[in-house]
Amino acid sequence: MGQRANFVLVDEEGWRLHYSHWAANRVSRILIAGPAAATRFIEAQHVCPDREHDWLDDVWAEGGAVVDHTARQLLFYGDDLALDIAPKRALLRLLELTWPGWEIRWAYDGIGDLAAAVGVDRSVVRQVDDEEQIMPDELFDPEEGCHLLTVRDADGELTVYPLMGDCHTGWQGPALLERLPGPGLHGLELPVPPESGLHVDVRERTVEAWLGYTSTGLVPALPDLWPGWRVRFCGDRYEEQEARCGGAVTFPPLDLKGALEELVESVGRSLGEDPVPRMMKLVQRIGDPSARLHPLFTAHRQIDPTPREWAEVRRLAAELAERL
């Protein structure tokens, strides 16, 4: 029970690792008002005594951020609001305004990216999701999202494979071409954007991968998985795969303005809510005498933006909406 997150603060004194048992699904709320508000929140959370080894791993870490005041860089992931591409892009656009002068990046490798940002080897946190590496043996109905594999063969012919969204075919390496699930499709009109994708051009020996979410180990592993191929990671830019398909695959447009409005309203409704009392009431209601609480179950400290900071967020969001 929990939404576990690691946060790292970097300043002139070095870097410090923090832990919250309840913050992973509150990352938007923590970061949305800018570096001052985010820093107050992180400083109020538990300080991990062993910053090199007290990290969560890929299994337990559900979100977090590195706030580097020396380099003015923000690296983060997490939050249900950021699981879909439209809300994540809307949040990133808004953070560009509330964190002026900062470099802002999504952590596609999750906790691995956060650790690497402060010089900790990714192996300290690595627990790769084996299910993401399974190669599907049949096509998947893309009605609610899918992994999109497109292959242009040596003759230039394109074949399209909508696959189960929990997989990513980038893990397969060149052996993928021997494991393709059936004849595939010659074209596809998607009702919703896919969750991830891979485009393989056999003649050019190029591989382009993208993610709409956070994977566990895929991005840093891609060059070694595809030896002898030119590998490119495209972030969440599924439009680049669409362009490679030359009109054979179409995607619906994103409603960034609607996603932005929903994001701001959702965060606004959540201000003032502290998860610890609510979860303690749930534990008491369940009343299981054998239940063992995490030692930092109640260590979370909810620190929200000030009214003035929140008013500025709303003002900047309204300006951004006018441009979307």
Side-chain angles (χ1 to χ4, degrees):
M1 183 183 292
Q3 294 90 37
R4 299 164 180 83
N6 276 141
F7 295 92
V8 181
L9 277 179
V10 185
D11 56 27
E12 295 78 7
E13 297 179 1
W15 63 273
R16 296 170 298 285
L17 179 65
H18 296 256
Y19 171 85
S20 168
H21 199 69
W22 301 107
N25 66 347
R26 291 168 169 77
V27 171
S28 299
R29 175 176 165 183
I30 294 162
L31 301 178
I32 198 169
T39 299
R40 287 199 308 272
F41 174 89
I42 296 172
E43 288 179 333
Q45 308 313 308
H46 172 76
V47 179
C48 300
D50 185 346
R51 68 177 191 173
E52 299 289 340
H53 300 99
D54 284 347
W55 292 81
L56 295 165
D57 63 22
D58 287 318
V59 173
W60 293 103
E62 299 172 80
V66 174
V67 177
D68 187 340
H69 287 272
T70 61
R72 293 175 69 83
Q73 293 178 342
L74 169 64
L75 177 66
F76 75 99
Y77 78 108
D79 206 319
D80 292 342
L81 291 171
L83 291 177
D84 295 328
I85 294 176
K88 176 163 65 68
R89 287 190 183 179
L91 176 60
L92 288 165
R93 292 284 298 274
L94 181 56
L95 293 180
E96 290 175 0
L97 303 179
T98 60
W99 293 68
W102 285 62
E103 178 187 354
I104 300 165
R105 294 185 293 124
W106 179 260
Y108 287 98
D109 191 42
I111 194 70
D113 276 347
L114 304 193
V118 290
V120 173
D121 195 274
R122 294 177 197 265
S123 64
V124 172
V125 302
R126 193 89 295 159
Q127 292 289 335
V128 170
D129 183 359
D130 294 336
E131 292 187 3
E132 192 183 60
Q133 301 182 25
I134 297 174
M135 181 63 197
D137 57 7
E138 60 184 4
L139 302 187
F140 183 74
D141 183 354
E143 193 67 30
E144 297 183 0
C146 66
H147 169 76
L148 182 65
L149 169 64
T150 52
V151 178
R152 194 171 293 281
D153 66 19
D155 297 323
E157 182 176 347
L158 181 77
T159 308
V160 181
Y161 304 88
L163 303 173
M164 186 175 297
D166 291 341
C167 79
H168 198 294
T169 52
W171 284 108
Q172 302 301 314
L176 167 69
L177 300 173
E178 307 300 324
R179 302 169 181 168
L180 296 173
L185 308 173
H186 293 297
L188 181 64
E189 182 179 349
L190 288 167
V192 295
E195 299 173 11
S196 62
L198 186 79
H199 179 72
V200 180
D201 190 315
V202 176
R203 182 165 52 192
E204 300 295 329
R205 291 186 68 81
T206 60
V207 177
E208 294 177 312
W210 67 271
L211 288 167
Y213 51 87
T214 292
S215 180
T216 57
L218 174 64
V219 177
L222 276 171
D224 291 333
L225 290 168
W226 291 82
W229 291 65
R230 293 195 302 276
V231 178
R232 181 167 171 262
F233 177 63
C234 304
D236 68 4
R237 299 186 300 278
Y238 66 86
E239 297 92 343
E240 298 190 20
Q241 186 173 22
E242 180 180 23
R244 297 290 183 267
C245 294
V249 179
T250 59
F251 299 76
L254 292 181
D255 180 12
L256 287 184
K257 184 174 182 178
L260 175 65
E261 292 173 351
E262 181 179 350
L263 167 70
V264 174
E265 291 306 313
S266 177
V267 172
R269 288 193 301 268
S270 72
L271 296 180
E273 295 180 359
D274 188 334
V276 174
R278 176 168 53 85
M279 296 309 299
M280 286 302 297
K281 288 181 181 178
L282 176 61
V283 170
Q284 293 166 4
R285 187 162 64 247
I286 295 173
D288 183 355
S290 66
R292 296 289 184 269
L293 298 183
H294 189 282
L296 298 176
F297 189 97
T298 60
H300 173 95
R301 298 292 178 263
Q302 188 57 49
I303 308 294
D304 286 324
T306 66
R308 177 175 294 183
E309 288 170 335
W310 183 241
E312 180 66 3
V313 170
R314 296 193 69 92
R315 183 186 72 79
L316 292 171
E319 289 184 1
L320 177 58
E322 290 295 320
R323 302 197 298 270
L324 294 176

